[in-house]
Amino acid sequence: MDKHTPITITLAQRDEAVTITRWVYDTLHNAVLLGQIPPGRALTIRELAGLLEVSPMPVREALRQLSAEGALEIQGNRRVMVPRMTAMKFNELVEARITLESHAAERALPYIDKDCLQRLTAIDAEIDEAEANSDPENVTRLNQAFHRTIYTAHPHQVTQPLIESLWLQLGPFMRLSAESLDEYYQIDRHQEALAAIEKHDPLALQMAIAADIRDGCAFAKIPSKLQQLLN
Amino acid sequence: MDKHTPITITLAQRDEAVTITRWVYDTLHNAVLLGQIPPGRALTIRELAGLLEVSPMPVREALRQLSAEGALEIQGNRRVMVPRMTAMKFNELVEARITLESHAAERALPYIDKDCLQRLTAIDAEIDEAEANSDPENVTRLNQAFHRTIYTAHPHQVTQPLIESLWLQLGPFMRLSAESLDEYYQIDRHQEALAAIEKHDPLALQMAIAADIRDGCAFAKIPSKLQQLLN
DNA sequence: GGATTTAAAATGTGATCACAATTTTGTGAT
DNA sequence: ATCACAAAATTGTGATCACATTTTAAATCC
């Protein structure tokens, strides 16, 4: 899988009045999150430039940014790829998510007002709809929006970029989660979170967030899924 | 302070067989960490290129990487600077450090062997020496090395890049800490940490790390220092 | 004098090019 | 077939250039 594996990337919407570099970044960011680029697959500047029909320069910049964010990895001698996963690393990423996101949720709780709560409820409804339609990509996207809305309620938030980095590192492997979610009864952790917010109960909110993250990554406990993770 | 404030950057050691981009990155990374670039000061590619006597290209790449790491901030319309600090943000950064580094320390503890412990003791001795010599820059550097040595003992570490990002964001303001450290009696938190490691006591280690971070940032509680922070 | 407009200088973005280092391919021997 | 090795193609790095946008300055007006 070092080369020649064809990759298909869904192009981000080309907003006018935005730099090409930014557009390339958004496109690749999404591709990584959706697992459209196989881990270990060598990425070259010129190949991506051709694929996206832009000059190599914006690709170069986007690749460096994504590498700094942990979405990509620069091999020993300047070759870039989506990092390969290991069982240990996956576990560490999940534990880091729980710690960091519990912290972010607790800090943000005092700032979640009625309006914010209403937006959260709306997102949760959309998630239910996407789940009913078996639309895993939107479930993932909306789930992230749910969490992001909570954390960024804090006006002096500093952990969101770190959390996004963890999401990026887990992203390529979460499609395995989406495939097996419905196979298991899942308690609605978002409802628990919303209830905790209404009661202004920091501990209950942390517990709900932690449980939600654990549920979302539970697929890694299934041997067959774990194997796919590492392939 | 938008422009024309002259800045002096100590150049990193120019290791042969390393890319220019990497050297520029190291140089600017250090400059930010040591507070050599005033927050809010506009940085231009060409100015830095002239200062470091390289072409604009490597500077461009380094700036983008540093921005992705939170060391620099890209203003509304493409102007880059060291982010300005606020009291609230400073507090959030410190709390994030405590949460994340406590977590990292606890995770790493089982992997800290005799050899690692010995290295930690050696670093601690160096810190005492640097403190005796009133060498704040080395105190800062060695203190980071102490923490990094603990966290990276874990072979599947994933939080170190996130921690480094927080260090970078606090870096420009830690010189204010170094100036006022000796004014207050300080309990040696590193000794507490070493003791906790020897006893394999996770909670005690977390407490020592948290206290160490708090002590190091306590200067922000002094009104006059806080004012300097925000200038 | 101080605010507003206008001209000049500087800047980021993106494209193209040269080159050394790396990777891949092609060739021949075992 | 498998491996070793040399030739060819590809790649990342870094430099330079053009241009639209922004910033800075000078000039004008109240």
Side-chain angles (χ1 to χ4, degrees), chain B residues 36-167:
Chain B
Q36 294 181 336
I37 307 173
R41 166 69 151 77
L43 297 177
T44 68
I45 295 175
R46 286 171 169 90
E47 180 193 13
L48 291 173
L51 219 65
L52 306 183
E53 301 184 71
V54 297
S55 95
M57 188 63 61
V59 176
R60 245 168 101 169
E61 303 245 317
L63 287 186
R64 186 164 291 272
Q65 182 169 350
L66 287 162
S67 300
E69 292 171 353
L72 300 176
E73 193 179 77
I74 301 182
Q75 281 253 29
N77 252 354
R78 43 195 179 202
R79 200 97 185 204
V80 79
M81 63 177 202
V82 173
R84 286 206 176 78
M85 188 51 72
T86 68
M88 291 290 277
K89 195 169 146 196
F90 188 87
N91 189 46
E92 287 303 312
L93 285 168
V94 173
E95 292 302 321
R97 270 197 67 186
I98 291 171
T99 297
L100 205 46
E101 296 191 37
S102 295
H103 171 86
E106 185 216 326
R107 290 253 125 201
L109 180 54
Y111 299 96
I112 302 180
D113 55 17
K114 279 283 167 218
D115 178 65
C116 184
L117 190 62
Q118 196 173 335
R119 268 181 294 138
L120 284 169
T121 310
I123 295 174
D124 195 39
E126 283 191 79
I127 293 179
D128 289 341
E129 190 182 356
E131 270 174 351
N133 297 354
S134 300
D135 184 353
E137 257 177 36
N138 260 326
V139 171
T140 305
R141 195 179 56 78
L142 288 165
N143 191 53
Q144 285 184 9
F146 185 85
H147 284 250
R148 190 171 13 235
T149 302
I150 294 177
Y151 311 146
T152 57
H154 194 307
H156 305 281
Q157 171 70 34
V158 300
T159 53
Q160 190 58 34
L162 311 184
I163 292 170
E164 300 269 353
S165 170
L166 295 176
W167 290 354

Side-chain angles (χ1 to χ4, degrees), chain B residues 7 28 35 50 64 73 99 132 184 207 222:
Chain B
I7 55 180
L28 294 180
R64 186 164 291 272
E73 193 179 77
T99 297
Y184 299 85
M207 289 298 139
I222 309 165

Side-chain angles (χ1 to χ4, degrees), chain A residues 100-226:
Chain A
L100 204 47
E101 296 191 36
S102 295
H103 170 84
E106 185 215 327
R107 291 252 123 201
L109 181 53
Y111 298 96
I112 302 179
D113 55 16
K114 278 283 165 215
D115 178 66
C116 183
L117 190 62
Q118 195 172 338
R119 268 181 294 139
L120 284 169
T121 311
I123 294 174
D124 194 39
E126 284 190 78
I127 293 179
D128 289 341
E129 190 182 358
E131 269 174 352
N133 297 354
S134 299
D135 184 353
E137 256 176 39
N138 261 326
V139 172
T140 306
R141 194 179 57 77
L142 289 165
N143 192 53
Q144 287 182 8
F146 186 86
H147 285 251
R148 191 182 294 116
T149 302
I150 294 178
Y151 312 146
T152 56
H154 194 308
H156 305 281
Q157 170 72 34
V158 299
T159 52
Q160 189 58 35
L162 311 183
I163 293 170
E164 300 269 354
S165 170
L166 294 175
W167 289 355
L168 268 172
Q169 291 177 68
L170 284 167
F173 310 94
M174 294 311 283
R175 55 161 44 189
L176 299 174
S177 170
E179 292 170 10
S180 52
L181 260 193
D182 12 322
E183 299 174 19
Y184 299 85
Y185 176 73
Q186 189 181 12
I187 303 154
D188 194 333
R189 304 300 189 178
H190 289 180
Q191 287 295 342
E192 293 183 1
L194 292 172
I197 291 170
E198 276 176 13
K199 282 187 291 185
H200 303 96
D201 184 341
L203 211 68
L205 178 56
Q206 290 191 326
M207 289 297 140
I209 294 289
D212 187 44
I213 295 171
R214 261 188 238 282
D215 285 357
C217 300
F219 70 94
K221 305 291 182 193
I222 309 165
S224 68
K225 287 286 172 186
L226 181 61

